[in-house]
Amino acid sequence: MTDPSSAPSASSGPRRSGASAVDPDALPELDPVIHAQARLRVVAALSAVREGDQITFPSLQHVLRMTAGNLSVHLRKLEDAGYVHISKTHRGRTPATYVALTRRGRVAFDDYTAAIRLLLDGADTTEEQR
């Protein structure tokens, strides 16, 4: 897992003459819970499920092509953050696990995608100034 705070800042590295520096304080923060690649994939997949609906664990596992253990670890972190709700029940005698993105998780994902767009728009602006 990559720690976003250890990534090079947008203002590091050589500057070209005439290019203005990107203000690191103006750059949006990326939610570290979502930013991990596997959790980003999980949240993106769950965001496609209508609000109020849920998906079975095996279906989510199939869509993401993740092992059960790996998916479980990432779902636990998302659940601890309040971004997903996991419910365990039975279909007949067979245990069934359902996963849903919570309202808080949807807002966090929306904020995350907006932050990415701001970063990309800032990169476009910086390129145009060069």
Side-chain angles (χ1 to χ4, degrees), residues 88-111:
K88 297 181 183 245
T89 187
H90 287 82
R91 278 189 271 172
R93 293 185 177 192
T94 306
T97 300
Y98 294 94
V99 183
L101 199 57
T102 63
R103 182 73 193 131
R104 180 176 177 180
R106 287 187 187 279
V107 169
F109 184 63
D110 289 345
D111 290 348

Side-chain angles (χ1 to χ4, degrees), residues 3-122:
D3 178 8
S5 65
S6 67
S9 71
S11 63
S12 66
R15 288 191 187 148
R16 296 185 178 142
S17 61
S20 64
V22 175
D23 180 5
D25 293 330
L27 296 176
E29 291 292 319
L30 297 177
D31 185 330
V33 175
I34 295 176
H35 192 63
Q37 180 184 3
R39 289 193 295 274
L40 176 56
R41 290 176 58 223
V42 170
V43 174
L46 290 173
S47 72
V49 176
R50 287 185 304 189
E51 191 167 0
D53 285 349
Q54 48 194 1
I55 187 171
T56 64
F57 182 92
S59 295
L60 183 60
Q61 182 184 356
H62 176 76
V63 166
L64 296 173
R65 295 186 178 141
M66 294 174 74
T67 65
N70 193 19
L71 180 55
S72 292
V73 166
H74 291 293
L75 285 174
R76 171 88 44 170
K77 288 194 182 283
L78 291 165
E79 185 180 34
D80 290 347
Y83 293 174
V84 299
H85 174 73
I86 299 171
S87 57
K88 297 181 183 245
T89 187
H90 287 82
R91 278 189 271 172
R93 293 185 177 192
T94 306
T97 300
Y98 294 94
V99 183
L101 199 57
T102 63
R103 182 73 193 131
R104 180 176 177 180
R106 287 187 187 279
V107 169
F109 184 63
D110 289 345
D111 290 348
Y112 181 88
T113 55
I116 290 290
R117 284 188 186 100
L118 281 173
L119 287 172
L120 294 174
D121 289 346

